Amino acid sequence: MHVTLPDGKQLDLPSGATALDAAKAIGPRLAQDALAATANGDLVDLMTPLPEGASITLITKKNPGDAAAVFRHSLGHVMSQAVGEFYRAKGHGDEAIKRGVGPSIENGWYQDFDLPEPLREEDLPDIERLMREIIGRNLEFSRREVSKAEGLAQFPHDPYKQELIQGLPDDEPITFYQQGDYVDLCRGPHYPSTGRLPGAFKLMSTSGAYWRGNEKNPILQRVYGVAFATQKELDEYLHQLEEAKRRDHRKLGRELELFTIDPLVGRGLPLWLPNGTVLREELAAFLKEQQFRRGYQGVITPNIGNLELYKTSGHYQNYSDSNFSPITVDDEQYMLKPMNCPHHVRIYASKPRSYRDLPVRLAEFGTVYRYEQSGELNGLTRVRGFTQDDAHLFCRPDQLKKEFLDVLDLTVLVLKTFGMNDVRFRVGVREAGNSKYVGDEANWAAAERQIIEAVEEVGLPYSIEPGDAAFYGPKLDFVVKDVLGREWQLGTIQVDYNLPERFDISYTGEDGAPHRPIMIHRAPFGSLERFVGILIEHYAGDFPLWLAPRQVMIIPIADRHNEYAEQLRAELHEAGLRAEVDDSSNRMQAKVRTAELSKIPVMLIVGDKEQEGRQVSVRERSAEGHREEKGVAFDDLKARLLERQRTRA
């Protein structure tokens, strides 16, 4: 057999040769340094036979990060061995420890266990210590293929392994990996030995998990670990986790009194508190201002609709898992609104339209309801009732490109306004052979082509994701990276030839005949709830002045300055700024500290000198730190703050 190296050279090897054989053929030093390989782009270990004619790349200790998924998987096996030794030391036999699956995942791995007694969080350091001992033994990983009968005989007391092996096809090779006395059913790949695994790992947590994700099955104990090629990468990751905890929108939402979720109201149904309502309304006002400039018309639609509406649109059939059950009223059935678009289609259809009337741009901050499983609910970012900044544009074919580009420009403007500049663009198209997509083949092809042409015209980098389209049309998603490096799918734009067809809407063309409009669906924020949750974490609650629910806190140094402070508050309030006075009996430093904890961006401190000169001392906070100014003319400061608010700086 032969394999091809990255430089195009070919190696002739014996049939069934492994990546280690390839490394030895190149040189003994490479064989000593090799950790894993890729074959035709897939990670493989040094023990697995290579496919005939494979293009291979050898991964060495110079670039161990390229084999991250391999060393994380191997560390999962080391952890599993350590857990066995931990319970053996407590007097339990090996047959008492049963294991489910244990894959590598992003940044680490997990392993599911059925244990004779629960593993506690405080036991994790002991498991880590045992893992480091196993790594120090430098145990070789070995691979062997076995028959199904041999596989079943290896795990006579483990029903989970038995079930996995029984489910494998008879003609599929079954592979075991072993290090020391630990053997497991596994496809691999693995490192050559435990001694070559990186020491930059940490066990993070345990949780319950249903076997194979089915709530009818037993609950196993899942142990999570993380690992990186270097200690620096691990330290950075752990720091990022701590920063994520500090920025957690659920924690900050409670501390800053932005929202609450009350079990008596219902899980996944946020209640917006006064401070959060200010934030939400500022976002809506910003977008409504942009929409007004671009010729949108506002509409309002009900929170429920006749079931036939959603059957016609296809949402009832195609989103059955996420719809709430229909409600029977008299002799009709209604549904909590899962989407705004069919309502907007009916508004379009409420009167005859001429080609001169198009484009029609209908916009609504419309609340919709989707069923989410309880375990998936998460603060504001995963809810059951949320408000979309929805708009639907009805246009002629000759208007489609211009309208799409304008929506694209609007969405990019929205993201830049909030400092979300690290964005990638994802074009979701149909997946070949998938029956979920409805409509004419030619229309789908046209819509996909038009989205790609528009993105290319403005020079945006994009990826094409088959299977990511909505059931009625392709889309462009905006995937944003926040300050912690996490990706969020926010805005979306969709081109739709199908809903106009399903609802049989039209406009009268220049020729006097009816023509079918094309729809554009768009939502720059996506949903207000999710967007606010992400914003809270992006800013760590330190909102810019225009967004901050509490903008200015005036702090009188002594009681005799309260009247002056109240006068300034009234003037700021009259000018449209949200200002308060802390006239409590606390000392000035305590008042400053209280305003700091409330993340109020501007503090104005007033005493005798300030009162005499109609001045203030200014203390401003932001995520970057503090800035202080003394003896600032109040009128100048007010003008400055109003300009920042007007420009949404």
Side-chain angles (χ1 to χ4, degrees):
M1 65 176 285
H2 73 273
V3 295
T4 304
L5 301 175
D7 61 2
K9 291 181 181 177
Q10 290 192 347
L11 281 180
D12 290 320
L13 300 169
S15 179
T18 65
L20 182 59
D21 294 325
K24 288 177 179 177
I26 296 170
R29 181 62 183 269
L30 182 58
Q32 183 180 336
D33 290 348
L35 299 173
T38 63
N40 299 328
D42 296 324
L43 278 170
V44 296
D45 56 37
L46 301 181
M47 299 154 269
T48 304
L50 294 168
E52 165 67 37
S55 296
I56 69 166
T57 301
L58 291 160
I59 300 170
T60 71
K61 59 186 181 182
K62 291 182 180 179
N63 53 344
D66 292 348
V70 181
F71 68 65
R72 286 167 180 155
H73 190 42
S74 297
L75 282 165
H77 276 231
V78 170
M79 182 190 76
S80 192
Q81 180 180 357
V83 168
E85 294 184 7
F86 177 79
Y87 280 93
R88 200 180 302 152
K90 293 165 75 75
H92 297 286
D94 289 342
E95 71 281 355
I97 301 152
K98 303 171 182 66
R99 297 171 173 88
V101 295
S104 64
I105 55 176
E106 184 180 10
N107 300 320
W109 75 89
Y110 70 76
Q111 174 69 55
D112 290 342
F113 297 96
D114 186 344
L115 298 168
E117 56 183 278
L119 188 69
R120 304 167 302 167
E121 295 277 345
E122 51 264 40
D123 295 328
L124 295 184
D126 290 332
I127 305 297
E128 273 190 35
R129 178 182 52 77
L130 286 168
M131 289 177 67
R132 295 188 191 280
E133 285 183 14
I134 292 167
I135 289 172
R137 296 173 205 163
N138 195 24
L139 305 174
E140 285 192 10
F141 282 93
S142 61
R143 175 186 184 273
R144 74 178 193 272
E145 293 186 6
V146 300
S147 67
K148 183 173 278 192
E150 288 177 285
L152 292 170
Q154 178 71 40
F155 301 104
H157 304 293
D158 192 327
Y160 309 106
K161 298 298 183 190
Q162 293 271 324
E163 183 179 326
L164 289 171
I165 293 169
Q166 290 283 16
L168 293 172
D170 291 334
D171 58 349
E172 182 176 310
I174 296 173
T175 55
F176 282 178
Y177 278 82
Q178 181 168 354
Q179 79 270 9
D181 61 359
Y182 176 76
V183 183
D184 204 355
L185 170 73
C186 182
R187 289 193 178 95
H190 285 286
Y191 256 34
S193 68
T194 63
R196 303 184 73 179
L197 291 168
F201 65 85
K202 183 174 177 59
L203 299 186
M204 301 299 292
S205 63
T206 72
S207 66
Y210 289 110
W211 168 236
R212 308 196 96 167
N214 188 331
E215 60 187 16
K216 295 179 181 177
N217 288 338
I219 296 179
L220 305 183
Q221 186 164 13
R222 179 169 291 179
V223 183
Y224 288 94
V226 295
F228 294 87
T230 65
Q231 188 63 39
K232 180 184 176 186
E233 290 174 284
L234 175 62
D235 291 342
E236 288 173 351
Y237 175 78
L238 296 176
H239 172 74
Q240 187 182 59
L241 287 185
E242 287 302 311
E243 185 67 8
K245 288 180 186 176
R246 184 178 76 84
R247 293 170 177 265
D248 189 324
H249 77 279
R250 296 164 298 181
K251 170 179 170 287
L252 290 173
R254 182 174 59 253
E255 293 172 357
L256 301 180
E257 299 182 7
L258 300 173
F259 70 93
T260 187
I261 296 176
D262 187 321
L264 194 58
V265 174
R267 288 177 290 184
L269 300 172
L271 298 171
W272 292 90
L273 304 178
N275 288 342
T277 301
V278 170
L279 177 56
R280 177 179 165 132
E281 288 181 346
E282 285 291 346
L283 290 172
F286 162 66
L287 190 58
K288 285 178 180 178
E289 182 182 298
Q290 292 298 325
Q291 289 175 168
F292 177 78
R293 293 176 181 173
R294 295 166 191 256
Y296 286 77
Q297 297 172 293
V299 296
I300 298 173
T301 62
N303 285 359
I304 65 171
N306 193 295
L307 185 59
E308 293 304 315
L309 176 72
Y310 307 113
K311 285 184 176 179
T312 303
S313 70
H315 290 103
Y316 179 69
Q317 304 91 304
N318 288 281
Y319 290 115
S320 56
D321 291 343
S322 58
N323 291 331
F324 281 94
S325 299
I327 308 160
T328 300
V329 181
D330 298 329
D331 59 348
E332 293 183 306
Q333 284 191 300
Y334 290 82
M335 249 176 59
L336 287 172
K337 178 171 61 173
M339 294 280 188
N340 296 304
C341 32
H343 294 249
H344 292 187
V345 172
R346 299 315 298 160
I347 289 175
Y348 175 91
S350 64
K351 68 175 187 178
R353 308 280 180 174
S354 160
Y355 72 95
R356 293 189 182 91
D357 300 325
L358 272 59
V360 174
R361 307 181 187 96
L362 304 178
E364 176 182 18
F365 284 85
T367 301
V368 297
Y369 300 89
R370 313 264 179 88
Y371 172 71
E372 299 281 358
Q373 294 187 29
S374 299
E376 295 177 337
L377 299 173
N378 181 30
L380 292 177
T381 57
R382 201 74 180 263
V383 292
R384 287 175 172 161
F386 56 95
T387 302
Q388 292 182 305
D389 57 321
D390 233 344
H392 296 91
L393 293 75
F394 302 83
C395 59
R396 306 188 307 261
D398 62 296
Q399 297 170 324
L400 177 63
K401 188 175 183 181
K402 179 179 181 300
E403 292 301 310
F404 189 94
L405 287 171
D406 186 71
V407 171
L408 179 56
D409 178 70
L410 171 62
T411 308
V412 170
L413 170 67
V414 166
L415 297 177
K416 284 185 175 178
T417 298
F418 298 99
M420 295 178 173
N421 299 314
D422 193 344
V423 186
R424 64 182 179 90
F425 303 89
R426 190 173 65 197
V427 180
V429 299
R430 288 166 303 169
E431 184 178 44
N434 193 322
S435 61
K436 83 170 186 177
Y437 303 109
V438 299
D440 180 74
E441 195 81 22
N443 286 341
W444 268 93
E448 290 174 357
R449 184 180 66 253
Q450 286 156 340
I451 289 178
I452 291 169
E453 285 178 358
V455 174
E456 289 181 343
E457 182 168 314
V458 293
L460 297 176
Y462 66 92
S463 63
I464 295 178
E465 304 286 341
D468 215 29
F471 75 89
Y472 49 78
K475 60 179 180 171
L476 175 66
D477 286 334
F478 297 73
V479 182
V480 175
K481 189 174 285 187
D482 67 13
V483 292
L484 293 176
R486 301 171 302 184
E487 286 196 331
W488 303 91
Q489 193 265 299
L490 292 178
T492 186
I493 313 172
Q494 302 164 358
V495 175
D496 180 7
Y497 284 81
N498 286 306
L499 285 189
E501 189 79 32
R502 293 173 77 92
F503 281 99
D504 192 24
I505 59 174
S506 63
Y507 63 90
T508 303
E510 286 186 85
D511 57 1
H515 295 265
R516 193 78 70 203
I518 304 167
M519 277 181 75
I520 297 176
H521 306 240
R522 54 110 276 210
F525 293 144
S527 94
L528 279 174
E529 283 73 11
R530 193 158 186 260
F531 195 80
V532 168
I534 294 165
L535 269 191
I536 293 169
E537 297 189 1
H538 188 65
Y539 288 125
D542 281 303
F543 299 110
L545 180 76
W546 71 276
L547 268 183
R550 303 171 70 190
Q551 294 176 314
V552 181
M553 179 61 74
I554 305 171
I555 299 173
I557 293 174
D559 288 350
R560 64 180 180 275
H561 308 123
N562 286 355
E563 185 178 344
Y564 176 58
E566 182 56 39
Q567 176 191 334
L568 300 186
R569 186 210 65 79
E571 289 189 36
L572 291 174
H573 184 78
E574 182 67 24
L577 291 164
R578 298 181 285 277
E580 306 166 47
V581 173
D582 184 348
D583 57 3
S584 67
S585 58
N586 294 328
R587 298 174 66 86
M588 185 195 76
Q589 290 303 328
K591 294 179 181 181
V592 169
R593 178 65 179 154
T594 299
E596 289 275 356
L597 291 174
S598 299
K599 298 186 182 287
I600 297 172
V602 179
M603 286 157 268
L604 307 182
I605 300 166
V606 295
D608 291 335
K609 183 178 178 182
E610 287 81 11
Q611 185 167 327
E612 289 168 10
R614 192 171 159 76
Q615 295 176 341
V616 290
S617 289
V618 184
R619 180 181 174 88
E620 292 198 51
R621 61 168 287 117
S622 70
E624 289 75 38
H626 297 88
R627 185 167 65 88
E628 296 188 19
E629 294 179 90
K630 296 187 182 298
V632 179
F634 174 71
D635 291 331
D636 291 346
L637 174 77
K638 181 173 72 172
R640 200 164 76 196
L641 295 180
L642 286 171
E643 179 64 10
R644 278 168 55 186
Q645 172 147 298
R646 184 190 68 80
T647 58
R648 297 187 171 95

